[in-house]
Amino acid sequence: MAAGQGAFSLREVLAAFQTCVTERREVLLGPYLSGWRGLIRFLHSLGAIFSFVSKDAVAKVQIMENYCRGEQREKYVSLQSMVEYELANGLVDIQKRSGRPDSGCRTVLRLHRALRWLQLFLEGLRTGREDSRTSVICTDSYNASLATYHPWVVRKAATVAFCTLPSRNAFLEIMNVGTTEEAVTMLGEALPYICDVYGITQELFARHKLLDLP
Ligand code: 1PX
């Protein structure tokens, strides 16, 4: 099915990360979360074996969307305003989790770590040889990023699910961007924006010592 006829293209999904960053180098939560929503839709199309991943991702996006629509919504316009507001009001559990609702900071941190996986994975797909295996690219990207933060059982389930991924060329095709060459070109254009969002967030969280939130 062509893009625009019901199927969706990963080009539009990744474009959300382009619109995230303002001239003042702030990361806007609206487009950031709609980027994640699009990725989760794409994940659904990869089969039920990934439902344990999408459930967790949906839950985290939902927490953030609730903050963005809630009473304090003007504090949740950007990552910068969120960090400032939550820290100033003692809303972030720094050492260990208390009975309080999950803060925006700890929730975004989980998505931020997953964005690093996405960056490595898409770069692996982009630069991979035609006959390279998506499962290997995905496992390598995961081991170099998210796996560090996951217990054994999650790592195991993830590795099993990765084995079901289609070949690199089939994967590039289901991205619905056109030919494999066009998909590779699109990835080359989109990745710098994802790297930018990742870099700004990493710097912000590092500056406020928020990179290890429980
Ligand atoms: C062209 C490529 C597009 C592919 C789209 C794929 C979208 C993937 C979305 C992944 C979002 C994962 C969020 C994980 C957040 C997390 O680390 N959560 C853990 C910690 O949370 P907690 O609240 O307890 O501190 C939680 O334990 C995680 C559980 C679920 C397992 C996460 C496995 C992540 C694997 C990532 C890649 C999967 C998709 C591969 C498809 C190509």
Side-chain angles (χ1 to χ4, degrees):
M1 206 174 351
Q5 292 184 331
F8 71 102
S9 160
L10 204 72
R11 189 193 295 278
E12 278 80 63
V13 172
L14 297 184
F17 292 101
Q18 181 176 348
T19 54
C20 270
V21 180
T22 69
E23 276 177 14
R24 296 171 58 204
R25 312 280 297 154
E26 289 183 328
V27 177
L28 299 174
L29 265 165
Y32 184 85
L33 296 174
S34 66
W36 277 109
R37 278 279 177 202
L39 288 169
I40 293 165
R41 267 179 77 195
F42 186 79
L43 189 62
H44 283 142
S45 71
L46 296 176
I49 193 154
F50 286 101
S51 57
F52 75 105
V53 181
S54 56
K55 260 192 196 155
D56 187 71
V58 166
K60 290 186 166 47
V61 169
Q62 189 72 62
I63 291 173
M64 293 313 304
E65 287 174 344
N66 290 344
Y67 282 127
C68 292
R69 289 190 200 121
E71 273 179 23
Q72 301 296 335
R73 56 185 168 275
E74 78 280 11
K75 308 292 192 320
Y76 288 86
V77 168
S78 70
L79 291 187
Q80 286 76 3
S81 60
M82 173 191 81
V83 166
E84 193 184 323
Y85 166 70
E86 290 196 340
L87 286 179
N89 290 279
L91 299 171
V92 184
D93 289 333
I94 304 285
Q95 300 291 350
K96 61 177 166 67
R97 292 176 79 175
S98 65
R100 273 194 297 229
D102 289 336
S103 65
C105 287
R106 70 93 55 196
T107 307
V108 166
L109 178 63
R110 270 61 185 174
L111 294 174
H112 169 66
R113 290 168 176 165
L115 197 67
R116 174 72 181 152
W117 161 81
L118 183 74
Q119 187 189 323
L120 296 174
F121 175 61
L122 296 181
E123 185 59 16
L125 273 182
R126 188 182 78 84
T127 56
R129 289 165 29 149
E130 262 188 37
D131 60 353
S132 42
R133 288 168 54 197
T134 314
S135 58
V136 173
I137 299 172
C138 192
T139 306
D140 289 350
S141 318
Y142 176 73
N143 286 339
S145 56
L146 269 180
T148 320
Y149 307 101
H150 290 164
W152 181 87
V153 63
V154 171
R155 292 203 304 269
K156 193 75 200 158
T159 314
V160 170
F162 297 159
C163 291
T164 68
L165 290 170
S167 70
R168 174 179 177 271
N169 277 6
F171 197 89
L172 289 172
E173 272 168 33
I174 55 174
M175 283 165 40
N176 212 356
V177 173
T179 62
T180 52
E181 290 78 15
E182 286 168 330
V184 165
T185 305
M186 182 280 286
L187 289 178
E189 289 161 1
L191 268 160
Y193 296 106
I194 295 175
C195 289
D196 206 24
V197 172
Y198 181 84
I200 296 173
T201 313
Q202 180 72 11
E203 193 276 324
L204 175 71
F205 275 55
R207 183 154 33 92
H208 292 282
K209 302 192 169 40
L210 298 173
L211 288 170
D212 295 307
L213 294 180

